[in-house]
Amino acid sequence: ETGVTQTPRHLVMGMTNKKSLKCEQHLGHNAMYWYKQSAKKPLELMFVYSLEERVENNSVPSRFSPECPNSSHLFLHLHTLQPEDSALYLCASSQDSASHSSGANVLTFGAGSRLTVL
Amino acid sequence: AQTVTQSQPEMSVQEAETVTLSCTYDTSESDYYLFWYKQPPSRQMILVIRQEAYKQQNATENRFSVNFQKAAKSFSLKISDSQLGDAAMYFCAYRSLYNNDMRFGAGTRLTVKP
């Protein structure tokens, strides 16, 4: 384990379901990320939270809704998803880029949540 | 926006041999960070090595080293004395100095043959 924990590890849901992915980090980081990983494609940055404020939202459909209640927790709420949303969703954390510490720009990843939309 | 390209979807190497994975990127920034991440079959992405663009010296971490060519915007990873445990997906990544945006390539799947 790297210090970033994602649950559930596997999720199967229908197109009309509502579910949430959870990410938790205990590394003292203040920036958290959601990435989507699909086969044979680059990781797609979905959302970035820095100091609990959303700073990046890369044209992600509104059926994905992030929530960052504090610097240690990040959620991705899912509703009315499509089969093409099936992928591995990776959470990561880091120090904010404004920090000039030596590890500021290194992302620590969780193991991912494998999502299948039927 | 910055883009990262890994032109080798798959590579294989004999155990104990050396392999080089290629990465190129596109940016208009002068200062940035570059990374290689490894994703074993267990899926947890872990950092292999990183390079600050303002440093001319190539980064090294034990058997892993990079060849950073800033003018050519090239950042290749060399793995020496390959081991079976090196088998994984390898991702090249670019991070701006000025924001939290990290961009990844599509990855190279490395197979190590015993």
Side-chain angles (χ1 to χ4, degrees):
Chain A
E1 288 294 330
T2 61
V4 179
T5 303
Q6 290 187 242
T7 54
R9 294 290 298 270
H10 299 272
L11 177 64
V12 179
M13 60 186 289
M15 293 169 61
T16 59
N17 291 158
K18 290 184 179 181
K19 298 286 185 183
S20 296
L21 307 181
K22 179 182 176 182
C23 177
E24 186 173 357
Q25 59 93 5
H26 298 288
L27 300 170
H29 291 164
N30 53 19
M32 296 187 78
Y33 311 73
W34 280 116
Y35 281 88
K36 176 183 179 182
Q37 185 177 22
S38 305
K40 300 182 180 179
K41 291 176 65 177
L43 270 71
E44 300 173 50
L45 179 63
M46 300 176 72
F47 302 104
V48 181
Y49 276 82
S50 176
L51 303 172
E52 300 161 38
E53 290 190 13
R54 190 190 308 179
V55 296
E56 298 252 0
N57 179 355
N58 290 330
S59 303
V60 179
S62 60
R63 56 186 184 271
F64 295 92
S65 174
E67 178 189 2
C68 188
N70 55 61
S71 60
S72 298
H73 294 84
L74 183 66
F75 295 89
L76 187 62
H77 302 301
L78 317 169
H79 63 99
T80 60
L81 294 191
Q82 304 297 312
E84 60 265 29
D85 297 323
S86 298
L88 182 66
Y89 288 84
L90 293 170
C91 173
S93 69
S94 76
Q95 290 294 342
D96 182 76
S97 63
S99 168
H100 297 293
S101 66
S102 60
N105 290 285
V106 176
L107 265 62
T108 301
F109 284 87
S113 293
R114 171 71 64 187
L115 173 66
T116 302
V117 182
L118 302 176
Chain B
Q2 296 84 11
T3 57
V4 179
T5 303
Q6 293 179 248
S7 60
Q8 307 154 315
E10 296 183 355
M11 291 283 284
S12 66
V13 63
Q14 204 70 36
E15 193 175 7
E17 298 294 310
T18 296
V19 65
T20 299
L21 308 183
S22 301
C23 173
T24 59
Y25 56 94
D26 183 32
T27 184
S28 59
E29 298 177 339
S30 58
D31 288 322
Y32 46 86
Y33 297 89
L34 296 166
F35 305 83
W36 279 98
Y37 278 86
K38 169 185 177 182
Q39 188 179 37
S42 65
R43 303 184 313 192
Q44 197 114 25
M45 192 95 73
I46 56 175
L47 178 69
V48 175
I49 198 166
R50 69 171 176 172
Q51 174 84 40
E52 291 90 344
Y54 61 86
K55 290 186 177 179
Q56 292 185 344
Q57 186 173 7
N58 289 325
T60 61
E61 285 288 340
N62 300 314
R63 297 182 295 106
F64 298 89
S65 62
V66 298
N67 183 5
F68 173 47
Q69 301 290 326
K70 191 173 183 180
K73 296 180 182 175
S74 171
F75 183 61
S76 60
L77 174 69
K78 185 172 82 171
I79 306 174
S80 304
D81 185 26
S82 297
Q83 301 176 358
L84 295 178
D86 295 333
M89 283 290 289
Y90 285 82
F91 293 94
C92 179
Y94 170 104
R95 179 164 180 170
S96 170
L97 199 65
Y98 308 105
N99 58 51
N100 292 307
D101 193 346
M102 182 175 279
R103 302 285 173 168
F104 287 80
T108 297
R109 181 173 301 282
L110 178 66
T111 303
V112 181
K113 299 178 180 178

